[in-house]
Amino acid sequence: MTVLATAGVLVLAGCGGGAGEAKKATPSHDRPSAPASATPPVFAPAPADATNRPKVTLPAGDELIFEPERVGDPVKDAVLADNADYLRAIEEAIDQQDPASKSVAYYSVGQNLIGDAQWIGGFAKDGTTVTGTTRLFDRQVTLGTDGTARLTYCGDETKGFTKDRRTGRVNVTPPDRDSYVSYVTQLRENTQGVWQTTRVTSVRGDAKCQR
């Protein structure tokens, strides 16, 4: 189960449980994944500048595979690349227990960023991190005429799991239909040329991703 994130109030349509479940559960911002009483961190990031991208490092033993990484169109490729770095930043922040991650704030804005912070905070509260391999496939970009983009893709979490920080125990579960998740991500290009995520929704167990 992945920990990729998305949109304002973390929600995974069709998926129950919190950050500590065996499946990674990528954040989708349509349902709270952290306690309602959680106080969002204060963000004071510098404006996201495409020439000064943050260096993001995935946790040891954690891997994200993107299919495809590029499609040959320069604008769509930029969307795909910034989405990939956004998801990597989420995983890094979970491992570092850093809901106020500047790397996440570089790629995520508005209510989506608040949802990301709550999602990451849930892992910190549960004492878990992420491990294993998550495959993001069928990545398709549709460009708007107003500096926006829509990215859809599927997540294969059959080999991605959470791990208890204290014991090092990996919460492995056998693969099933809920190991596959569909995502719809909305992005907007800022004035510095960074494609920032503004909203993410997801459906766990979506039939179209069962492969």
Side-chain angles (χ1 to χ4, degrees):
M1 154 215 129
T2 3
V3 176
L4 318 182
T6 51
V9 180
L10 302 173
V11 171
L12 284 177
C15 173
E21 358 174 71
K23 284 187 171 59
K24 261 171 130 182
T26 305
S28 155
H29 304 168
D30 290 336
R31 77 168 160 86
S33 59
S37 61
T39 302
V42 176
F43 295 94
D49 183 342
T51 64
N52 189 30
R53 295 181 181 277
K55 178 178 174 57
V56 176
T57 303
L58 288 176
D62 187 48
E63 181 181 17
L64 300 180
I65 298 174
F66 298 94
E67 302 174 353
E69 291 186 352
R70 292 175 293 278
V71 294
D73 177 284
V75 179
K76 291 183 178 181
D77 286 351
V79 172
L80 292 172
D82 283 351
N83 166 258
D85 283 340
Y86 164 58
L87 297 179
R88 293 186 185 105
I90 292 287
E91 305 254 324
E92 177 190 61
I94 287 171
D95 191 59
Q96 294 180 351
Q97 299 183 288
D98 184 13
S101 164
K102 290 184 178 179
S103 294
V104 174
Y106 182 93
Y107 291 107
S108 180
V109 293
Q111 287 298 113
N112 192 73
L113 177 57
I114 293 173
D116 288 340
Q118 292 175 331
W119 179 257
I120 295 162
F123 284 86
K125 179 181 178 182
D126 289 349
T128 55
T129 184
V130 290
T131 191
T133 300
T134 300
R135 182 171 66 100
L136 295 316
F137 62 99
D138 283 357
R139 302 172 78 215
Q140 300 181 37
V141 178
T142 303
L143 299 175
T145 58
D146 57 351
T148 63
R150 181 176 184 267
L151 169 60
T152 61
Y153 58 93
C154 291
D156 172 1
E157 303 177 351
T158 56
K159 297 179 181 179
F161 309 101
T162 59
K163 181 172 69 173
D164 186 284
R165 286 180 173 278
R166 183 178 61 83
T167 66
R169 176 180 174 273
V170 177
N171 302 311
V172 177
T173 55
D176 57 24
R177 68 178 295 108
D178 282 347
S179 299
Y180 297 88
V181 189
S182 66
Y183 295 93
V184 178
T185 299
Q186 304 292 334
L187 305 96
R188 178 177 291 277
E189 186 180 24
N190 72 4
T191 56
Q192 300 298 318
V194 179
W195 286 93
Q196 297 177 306
T197 297
T198 60
R199 180 174 176 79
V200 181
T201 56
S202 63
V203 177
R204 182 166 291 282
D206 196 332
K208 69 184 178 185
C209 294
Q210 302 293 322
R211 57 187 187 283

